[in-house]
């Protein structure tokens, strides 16, 4: 059975299937924060979704990070490094890409194992 969370007309925030949680791209709540603030907000949303699925950041299988400007790479990494579970750093890709809202500096997609 596929379990979907926060189902909308265009997308669901998360789907869980066969012990894996697939998160939609998470973005910050605030458009006017710097990269550190936007990254913190985005990671907080990821923490909340993973908790709803019965998972957490130590169970991340893959992370995909989209930055609108690679000049923000170091600032994003500073926040990421403080957040990620030591000893459980996941495979990760970081690319530069325009985002749907040009005021967003970061979007993060996560796939994680669900405890079970």
């Amino acid at each position: 059975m596929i379990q979907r969370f926060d189902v909308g007309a265009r997308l669901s925030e998360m789907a869980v299937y066969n012990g894996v949680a697939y998160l939609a791209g998470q973005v910050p709540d605030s458009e006017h924060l710097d990269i550190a603030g936007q990254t913190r907000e985005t990671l907080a949303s990821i923490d909340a979704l993973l908790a709803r699925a019965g998972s957490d950041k130590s169970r991340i299988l893959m992370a995909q990070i989209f930055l609108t400007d690679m000049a923000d790479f170091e600032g994003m990494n500073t926040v990421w490094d403080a957040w990620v579970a030591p000893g459980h750093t996941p495979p990760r890709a970081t690319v530069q890409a325009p985002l749907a809202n040009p005021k967003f500096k970061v979007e993060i997609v996560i796939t994680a194992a669900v405890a079970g």
Side-chain angles (χ1 to χ4, degrees), residues 8-96:
R10 180 166 290 144
L11 60 89
S12 297
E13 284 298 320
M14 177 173 59
V16 176
Y17 177 71
N18 202 24
V20 178
Y22 303 88
L23 279 61
Q26 298 301 299
V27 294
D29 296 322
S30 305
E31 297 176 340
H32 302 292
L33 295 175
D34 64 5
I35 187 60
Q38 286 199 9
T39 302
R40 275 192 289 277
E41 285 190 353
T42 303
L43 295 174
S45 295
I46 290 167
D47 280 333
L49 281 169
L50 290 175
R52 289 176 65 194
S55 189
D56 62 60
K57 63 188 171 187
S58 73
R59 300 179 63 82
I60 295 173
L61 300 171
M62 178 66 179
Q64 298 172 330
I65 302 174
F66 302 90
L67 296 173
T68 56
D69 187 343
M70 288 305 287
D72 287 329
F73 187 68
E74 185 177 330
M76 179 277 299
N77 274 329
T78 298
V79 176
W80 172 270
D81 292 345
W83 173 81
V84 74
H88 299 279
T89 51
R92 189 185 100 171
T94 305
V95 299
Q96 182 173 333

